[in-house]
Each structure stands twice: as structure tokens, then as C-alpha cells.
Amino acid sequence: APAPPPARHLFSDPAEVEALRRNLLAWYDRCKRDLPWRTLAATELDADRRGYAVWVSEIMLQQTQVATVIHYYNRWMQKWPTLQALAQASLEEVNELWAGLGYYSRGKRLQEAARKVVSELAGRMPRTAEDLQKLLPGVGRYTAGAIASISYGQATGVVDGNVIRVLCRLRCIGADSSSPAVIDRLWDMANVLVDRSRPGDFNQALMELGATVCVPKSPLCRECPVKQHCQAWRRKLFGKAPPVPDVEDCGVGDCPLCPPATEPWDSSLGVTNFPRKAAKKPPRVMRTATCVLERRGCHGAPEYLIVQRPSSGLLAGLWEFPSLPLAQDLQEEKEREELADHLQAWMGQPVAAKGLQFIGEVIHIFSHIHQTYVVYSLYLDGDVTLDPALSPSRWVTEDEFHASAVSTAMKKV
Ligand code: SF4
């Protein structure tokens, strides 16, 4: 078994833990942001509805800013106020409402899990973090802990990006914060710290602190309600040679939680020495040719062809202009020819590469892909019969396009 971490990285003094809880909760009561899912979780008497509301908000908040989520959350809860309503929705409706929020598989999995609760669990949400994680597809350790503590009062901790930052600073944890060894320690710590009588508020307070005070670049340490418990802050105040023993490095050189000896404390960074992460892999670079096919619709307004992506993989099930991934370093002429061949398959009639009009390039960054869309347009005169054996496709007006389940990247195109 690995050796336990040195005491300076732990919260081992019960009096300190109690004081930290008190200070953090008092701050939260004074300063918390009004967010629609918090209001609902605090006022809704039905436990399943509370769980559902927190679940929807937590899934939307993964990888997405609070300010963006509010609008989507309100629309979602208006359309599907209960698990039962969501279970009856079609995937197409879910994708339409999710359009623009990114990471589309989240919406799909939420809906699949709602169906499972209705069909296999008699419409009753599991009540503990362990069961939530075990029984609901798409619900990981963090989401399960958030739902169980906020909706059902289970005294269980949570660890998300904000909590990682706060805890690493509170306890000067400078080893790679994405490594399983550090993540496991942070979960242990979150479970020790969580307030037994107000676990949901405590977890939200810790995350709120990370989102509004202990922010990545310029944390507001002077206003921080837990600064007296923060070793990074003390170390910044006392400089490189700390006068008290508990803020020194562990000193043995093989501490699993201290910064690596090759990258010691940088006094110009202050508390932002923590957390530290191993360098990210650079994103994959991709080029995709895409063609906006236009025709005059029966009412005279222009219409555009959109086709549906496969039901798995990136942007699964969303609609897009006919598109074709390109090999790197293709000559422009070759790109056109390949796109023309691709379009020919859709339309069942020859497409002249020269007829494709180059419009420009659109760059869109997915989390792990740097995508460049090379955009062409083609105006079609006369009727076109689309091959029904290919993926689903349809003609839409501009308004219909915007109301469809299309990605932000396609809207840019
Ligand atoms: Fe974060 Fe500064 Fe507060 Fe420490 S004192 S928890 S670094 S905001």
C-alpha cells in the first residue's frame, strides 16, 4: 500500500475542519449567486424532482459556463419539467434544445438515463451517490456526489475542477492534479471536509469559492473566507523561507503530493503555483470540406440541404451541410474534386468541381480537435432527387436551419 501523505497535506485537526466549514458556509450564505437550480432544489418538496433538477444542471454545467447554462436549463425545465416528460421526448427534440451547448452526447445520455429511471426504477431516482453512479448511465462520481448531497442530503464530498484548485491551494498540493494518486487524495479530503448537517450547501460553497474567489489566474485571497486555513496563501505571505514548520516543503524529496523537485515554488506565481497539471496533448488538426447547397424553395425562399451525422462519435445525430474530412496538404483543386464526388453521391447527378464556389474557411475548436471547415457553396437550378439509401437529409429555410439540431460550428459555417 502507498505510504500515507505527510500530515501537512491533510486536514487532520478536527477543530480546523470545523472552523473551515463554519467560515465557508457563512460566506456562502452571504454571497452565493442566485441560480435557478439552487432555488428549485431548496424549495421543491418532491425528492425526485429535486434530484432531476440538480442532475440536469450538473450535466449542463460540465464543460460549460454558468452564464450560458442558465438559459438552456430554464428552457429544458420548461419543456421537460419531470423525468417522465424527458423520458417521452425524442432524441431529435433533445438535440434541438441542446444545440449550441456543445458535447452533445451529454443530452443524449441524460435522456437515456431518464428512460431507464422510468422503465426500470419505477420513476424513482436512486438516493445515494453509490447507486446514482452505478445505476444511471452518464452519471460519474462527481455528478452522483452532487445530486446525492444537494438533493438528498447525503454527507458525501465532490471533486470538480474548482474543488481541485481550492484544495490544492489550501494544502499546497503541487503534484500533477490530474494524476489518479492526487485525485484519490482530493476525494478523501472532500469527504473529510464536507459538512455533516449541510452537505449540499457545503459542496456548492466549495465550488462557488473556486468559481468566484479562488479563480485560476488572479485569486482574491484577501477576500477569501478560508484564507486562514490556506497554506498557499501563508506561503505567499511568508515568502520562500517560511518561518513555521508546517508550511515548509515535506523535504524528503519523494512526497507524492509536493511539486516535483525540478519545478519548485516560483515566488512570482504566488498561490497560483497550485494546482499543477501535466502538459496537455496538442489538439488533433483536421480539415473538412463542407458545401452549402442552395435551391429555390416552393415559396420562393432559398432552402439549404442538411444531412444527419452518424448516431455515434463526434456530434452524433446532429445535422450539418454535406461535409467530407480531407487529408492534410491536399491541393485546392483536389479538395474540390473530392467534394464534388461526395456531393454527387448525395444528389445522384454529376457535380462539376468548377461549379463549387469557394466561400472561405471557418475554424472551430472542439475540446481535442482543431477543425478547419473549407466552405463552398453551390446553387442548384432545377429539381434534385436525393438518394434515400444515404443518411437522412432534408431541405430547410434559414429559420428552420437555426431551429434544427445543428452544432455551433455549422452555424458559423
Ligand atoms: Fe484560494 Fe487564496 Fe483562498 Fe487560498 S487564500 S483558498 S489561494 S483564494
Side-chain angles (χ1 to χ4, degrees):
R8 68 170 296 230
H9 295 300
L10 301 176
F11 287 94
S12 38
D13 174 1
E16 186 189 16
V17 170
E18 211 30 68
L20 186 148
R21 288 175 182 157
R22 219 176 24 249
N23 294 338
L24 188 60
L25 282 168
W27 168 81
Y28 182 68
D29 290 339
R30 272 196 326 276
C31 304
K32 67 170 179 265
R33 293 171 292 180
D34 270 338
L35 299 173
W37 46 91
R38 281 189 184 155
T39 314
L40 198 146
T43 53
E44 174 62 56
L45 295 179
D46 182 298
D48 284 312
R49 282 174 60 104
R50 279 202 311 272
Y52 171 64
V54 172
W55 181 17
V56 171
S57 67
E58 289 298 340
I59 298 285
M60 287 186 171
L61 286 165
Q62 289 166 9
Q63 323 277 354
T64 311
Q65 301 281 331
V66 168
T68 308
V69 165
I70 292 176
H71 170 66
Y72 281 89
Y73 171 85
N74 286 335
R75 282 200 306 146
W76 182 285
M77 295 304 282
Q78 235 164 28
K79 196 165 167 93
W80 301 301
T82 61
L83 271 167
Q84 286 70 14
L86 176 60
Q88 283 173 9
S90 70
L91 180 58
E92 187 67 17
E93 289 175 295
V94 168
N95 279 338
E96 278 173 17
L97 202 143
W98 204 275
L101 202 53
Y103 298 93
Y104 292 86
S105 59
R106 294 181 295 172
K108 184 179 170 196
R109 296 238 289 269
L110 191 49
Q111 192 230 18
E112 284 167 2
R115 286 191 172 162
K116 183 171 177 190
V117 175
V118 170
S119 64
E120 294 176 27
L121 307 174
R124 190 174 186 274
M125 291 272 290
R127 293 291 197 264
T128 64
E130 296 71 25
D131 284 350
L132 284 158
Q133 192 179 348
K134 194 166 71 193
L135 297 174
L136 300 188
V139 171
R141 191 172 180 186
Y142 162 76
T143 310
I147 300 172
S149 61
I150 299 170
S151 312
Y152 307 130
Q154 186 186 2
T156 185
V158 293
V159 174
D160 72 344
N162 285 319
V163 173
I164 289 174
R165 187 166 55 257
V166 173
L167 293 182
C168 284
R169 289 175 178 171
L170 284 174
R171 280 301 176 260
C172 281
I173 295 175
D176 176 7
S177 66
S178 59
S179 70
V182 172
I183 293 290
D184 282 353
R185 290 297 174 199
L186 296 175
W187 274 100
D188 292 346
M189 216 178 265
N191 282 325
V192 166
L193 287 179
V194 64
D195 187 89
R196 272 41 191 171
S197 56
R198 294 178 63 191
D201 284 346
F202 180 86
N203 285 338
Q204 292 184 88
L206 202 53
M207 294 189 274
E208 184 99 339
L209 188 76
T212 60
V213 176
C214 194
V215 291
K217 287 215 174 101
S218 303
L220 311 170
C221 296
R222 287 178 197 289
E223 299 167 24
C224 176
V226 294
K227 60 176 179 285
Q228 65 271 46
H229 310 288
C230 180
Q231 292 182 359
W233 171 241
R234 277 202 272 168
R235 178 147 189 183
K236 178 182 152 81
L237 288 183
F238 294 130
K240 214 172 168 200
V244 280
D246 69 345
V247 291
E248 285 172 3
D249 276 338
C250 297
V252 284
D254 57 357
C255 169
L257 298 181
C258 273
T262 49
E263 299 164 51
W265 167 268
D266 175 346
S267 52
S268 69
L269 294 178
V271 298
T272 63
N273 270 284
F274 310 102
R276 296 186 188 187
K277 250 192 190 169
K280 251 196 189 168
K281 270 204 236 149
R284 196 148 47 95
V285 175
M286 284 186 69
R287 270 175 87 73
T288 296
T290 189
C291 185
V292 181
L293 282 165
E294 179 181 338
R295 73 171 188 188
R296 188 108 345 241
C298 51
H299 301 298
E303 290 182 341
Y304 308 93
L305 181 70
I306 55 175
V307 301
Q308 194 169 27
R309 289 182 61 84
S311 58
S312 59
L314 183 71
L315 307 174
L318 295 198
W319 295 77
E320 64 181 10
F321 299 115
S323 300
L324 177 72
L326 296 168
Q328 292 296 327
D329 307 323
L330 271 193
Q331 300 288 335
E332 193 200 321
E333 202 182 326
K334 192 81 184 114
E335 280 184 3
R336 273 174 193 269
E337 279 171 19
E338 289 199 1
L339 182 60
D341 287 349
H342 182 68
L343 295 172
Q344 196 162 315
W346 282 104
M347 296 172 5
Q349 65 183 49
V351 174
K354 286 209 171 67
L356 294 170
Q357 194 193 346
F358 174 70
I359 303 293
E361 293 192 350
V362 169
I363 291 175
H364 189 78
I365 313 287
F366 296 96
S367 58
H368 54 299
I369 298 173
H370 184 286
Q371 176 72 271
T372 303
Y373 290 99
V374 189
V375 185
Y376 292 86
S377 80
L378 181 64
Y379 185 79
L380 297 174
D381 230 355
D383 209 13
V384 182
T385 315
L386 301 169
D387 184 347
L390 295 169
S391 312
S393 58
R394 57 194 163 103
W395 291 95
V396 289
T397 63
E398 192 173 338
D399 285 347
E400 287 165 348
F401 171 82
H402 283 288
S404 299
V406 290
S407 65
T408 304
M410 278 299 125
K411 288 185 181 166
K412 283 189 191 171
V413 166

